[in-house]
Amino acid sequence: MAITRTVAVAQGKGGVGKTSVTTNVAGLAALAGLRTLVVDCDPQGNVARDLGLEPGTGSPLLSALVSGSPLPITRAVRAGLDVVEGGPEVADLSGLMYARSARGGGNLAQSLHASLAAVADDYDLILIDTPPGEKVLVEAALGVAAAVLIPTRADDASLDGLARVAERFVVARETNPELRLAGVLLFAVGARSRRLESSVRRSIQSIVGNAAPIFEARVRHLESAAVDSRRAGMLAHELEGAAIEDRRARLAALRAGKAPADGLLVRNAEGLASDYEAVTRELLTRLAQIEEEVGAA
Amino acid sequence: MSTARHPNLEDAFAPSGRGAGLEGLLQPRRATQTTPTAPEPGEVMGEPAAADTPLERNKRTRRAAGNTTQASSGQALNVAAYLPPATLAAAQREKQATGEQYADLLARAFDDVDEQALRATFAPQPATSSGAGMPRRAVRARGAAGIQRQFRLTAEQRDWLDEQVRAYDAPSRSAFIATVLGLHFRTLTQQ
Ligand SMILES: Nc1ncnc2c1ncn2[C@@H]1O[C@H](COP(=O)(O)OP(=O)(O)OP(=O)(O)O)[C@@H](O)[C@H]1O
Ligand SMILES: [Mg+2]
């Protein structure tokens, strides 16, 4: 039942980097020449914000899934990157689909599967961003994905969230036996706190055991970049270039004795961009590995 | 004029060639995917017909050929360019209106721009000396702050681009692309 090359990014806890990881990995994969699609299954619709798009209502996705019409794909938001936008109305899916399957109709996972299967051949990689709650939406995403990537922050509440994904993972495996755990990814950890990081890695290991690798790569804590990113609709590697230009403009203004214009908050996004690049490398490598395993099974 | 005297600003404009090192980790999807609910042929949403450029076709043929392990010379490469907002907006409008890829738009813009104007943009401005101080180094247009866009080019197209960058003594591919599009859309002064 799994749609190959499809990765759900899920975590029971909010604010652990699901959307940031989804959009940044998608942007880098597209840069690497993979035809990439992001599907935003979150009523918050933050994918659009991260990519610099006007936030949508979610209504086109809602009606596509309810009526089985083609997915509303916004094409080429970056070269090689397409998006299906979420938004508030996506929240209504739970209720609508519940009523429908109660009447003997298909469930949300089946609708999503049919919609994605129709376009899957056009993409080398499909990433699904999921909401923190909304059980039905998360289960639908896990019901069609080939792999799930679980970002987590270092705090205990986030680690508890791992347990919630694990439960949903087990449920999803019943209808989607091909689903694999891509791995757990540490998000927003202090760049210099190596000791904290290894302690968190040990905690995660004790929670997931050997079921999933903990990604070697992690995303460093860099709040200024996070704020700029959503404000300007730029991904980390785009901020990287913009920050260099911003610094130049600032210096030029100072030299000319003028007050520098309000620019970016981040001075240097290079480290964060490298982190996302390392995450993307690890994810792509892991997906190739999963494909081999599943293909051989 | 040799390019060797000038620092290569490629890195500043397109830092580190992000993504380049990620190529080949995951092979392009094989064209025939077997899913239980494979769609009827008519249901598949293809690329819009207008986007069916030679570049796109070439890419699809390559993928359909399924030769996966090696990068062939016909492979599409990403070349990053930073476009100032006004130029980017104009390019996006044009892309929307024509259904063209950025690479085709660039080719058309290049055919259209005045060679003299292009040459003038990259010519050094006279060095300025302020009073008794050391004369400032000559400065040239280097492109401006902007939003990154990827241009998917074939190896041949990229080589051609590099030739133009050298011929016009542009400081980088990014600056060259931004200038050509800026002249084409007459947005250069709005930077
Ligand atoms: N590198 C970073 N360092 C610190 N904070 C970050 C970083 N990247 C993003 N953030 C911030 O973390 C918060 C959560 O990020 P994000 O939206 O990606 O998480 P999420 O799991 O998708 O959240 P939600 O569950 O609400 O959908 C945001 O406020 C964002 O600005
Ligand atoms: Mg989110």
Side-chain angles (χ1 to χ4, degrees):
Chain A
M1 176 97 172
I3 294 183
T4 59
R5 301 297 178 88
T6 302
V7 182
V9 182
Q11 221 299 19
K13 173 80 170 57
V16 294
K18 296 179 289 292
T19 304
S20 305
V21 170
T22 303
T23 51
N24 279 284
V25 166
L28 288 166
L31 262 190
L34 294 173
R35 299 164 302 165
T36 306
L37 175 70
V38 173
V39 180
D40 186 1
C41 280
D42 190 343
Q44 295 177 98
N46 283 334
V47 165
R49 226 179 288 274
D50 280 11
L51 291 169
L53 309 171
E54 201 72 38
T57 60
S59 153
L61 175 57
L62 175 87
S63 43
L65 290 175
V66 170
S67 70
S69 52
L71 282 176
I73 297 178
T74 308
R75 302 215 179 247
V77 300
R78 303 287 192 279
L81 179 59
D82 293 355
V83 177
V84 173
E85 290 176 56
E89 291 196 29
V90 169
D92 295 343
L93 271 171
S94 302
L96 284 171
M97 297 306 291
Y98 181 78
R100 182 163 149 186
S101 55
R103 289 196 310 269
N107 63 22
L108 184 57
Q110 287 163 331
S111 300
L112 185 60
H113 191 278
S115 300
L116 278 178
V119 297
D121 271 353
D122 293 346
Y123 298 100
D124 301 316
L125 181 67
I126 301 174
L127 293 162
I128 308 180
D129 187 21
T130 65
E134 311 276 352
K135 186 162 168 282
V136 176
L137 290 168
V138 179
E139 278 175 9
L142 296 184
V144 303
V148 54
L149 174 65
I150 308 175
T152 187
R153 286 189 187 242
D155 59 292
D156 284 345
S158 301
L159 295 180
D160 286 346
L162 279 180
R164 254 167 292 159
V165 204
E167 280 163 28
R168 295 201 173 139
F169 182 78
V170 171
V171 173
R173 281 280 281 248
E174 287 169 15
T175 52
N176 180 15
E178 286 156 16
L179 179 66
R180 295 285 182 278
L181 223 40
V184 178
L185 169 67
L186 272 175
F187 180 78
V189 289
R192 275 182 226 85
S193 43
R194 282 285 161 188
R195 273 185 59 207
L196 171 68
E197 189 178 325
S198 24
S199 132
V200 177
R201 282 178 187 275
R202 278 194 300 277
S203 311
I204 296 174
Q205 189 79 59
S206 72
I207 295 170
V208 298
N210 293 323
I214 303 170
F215 272 35
E216 202 67 39
R218 84 275 183 272
V219 177
R220 76 190 57 190
H221 184 91
L222 192 59
E223 209 141 14
S224 55
V227 172
D228 282 339
S229 183
R230 272 208 181 148
R231 229 185 242 164
M234 280 190 235
L235 300 171
H237 65 271
E238 295 166 345
L239 269 182
E240 186 182 11
I244 292 170
E245 291 304 335
D246 193 59
R247 224 154 47 213
R248 243 182 229 152
R250 209 176 275 273
L251 278 175
L254 288 174
R255 237 184 263 128
K258 287 188 237 147
D262 269 352
L264 298 170
L265 298 171
V266 69
R267 290 296 154 85
N268 185 345
E270 190 188 334
L272 185 63
S274 322
D275 287 353
Y276 278 120
E277 191 171 25
V279 170
T280 308
R281 171 170 303 123
E282 214 167 331
L283 178 66
L284 296 180
T285 307
R286 175 82 182 127
L287 286 180
Q289 186 190 348
I290 288 175
E291 246 171 41
E292 236 163 64
E293 281 169 22
V294 171
Chain B
M1 207 193 276
S2 97
T3 47
R5 278 187 295 123
H6 303 288
N8 185 339
L9 292 170
E10 176 92 6
D11 281 357
F13 283 107
S16 69
R18 294 263 174 239
L22 299 171
E23 279 167 26
L25 291 174
L26 192 64
Q27 300 306 328
R29 183 196 287 274
R30 263 157 297 174
T32 49
Q33 207 217 344
T34 46
T35 51
T37 50
E40 297 298 310
E43 265 173 52
V44 180
M45 285 169 64
E47 299 271 2
D52 201 25
T53 64
L55 189 65
E56 287 296 307
R57 267 200 303 279
N58 165 359
K59 230 164 51 199
R60 265 206 303 277
T61 327
R62 175 172 56 80
R63 288 196 164 107
N67 180 0
T68 46
T69 38
Q70 286 165 341
S72 71
S73 74
Q75 182 152 8
L77 303 158
N78 280 308
V79 171
Y82 283 83
L83 303 183
T87 303
L88 177 61
Q92 277 171 332
R93 273 196 302 275
E94 182 95 350
K95 185 170 183 287
Q96 284 267 313
T98 60
E100 278 174 325
Q101 302 291 312
Y102 279 125
D104 299 321
L105 211 153
L106 176 65
R108 216 157 41 76
F110 182 79
D111 288 341
D112 161 79
V113 297
D114 179 48
E115 201 191 315
Q116 286 306 317
L118 193 53
R119 216 168 274 290
T121 323
F122 292 117
Q125 309 292 310
T128 52
S129 65
S130 48
M134 188 166 84
R136 299 273 297 276
R137 224 161 54 84
V139 291
R140 304 180 303 155
R142 291 190 312 193
I147 309 227
Q148 195 187 48
R149 277 294 173 272
Q150 298 296 324
F151 290 74
R152 284 194 163 195
L153 307 178
T154 60
E156 293 76 32
Q157 287 174 318
R158 205 219 16 215
D159 292 347
W160 172 86
L161 177 62
D162 285 346
E163 240 166 67
Q164 307 310 312
V165 170
R166 276 192 298 275
Y168 285 93
D169 198 27
S172 68
R173 288 178 195 151
S174 173
F176 182 77
I177 292 175
T179 304
V180 168
L181 292 178
L183 286 169
H184 175 65
F185 293 119
R186 303 182 202 296
T187 47
L188 213 51
T189 50
Q190 296 171 38
Q191 285 179 13

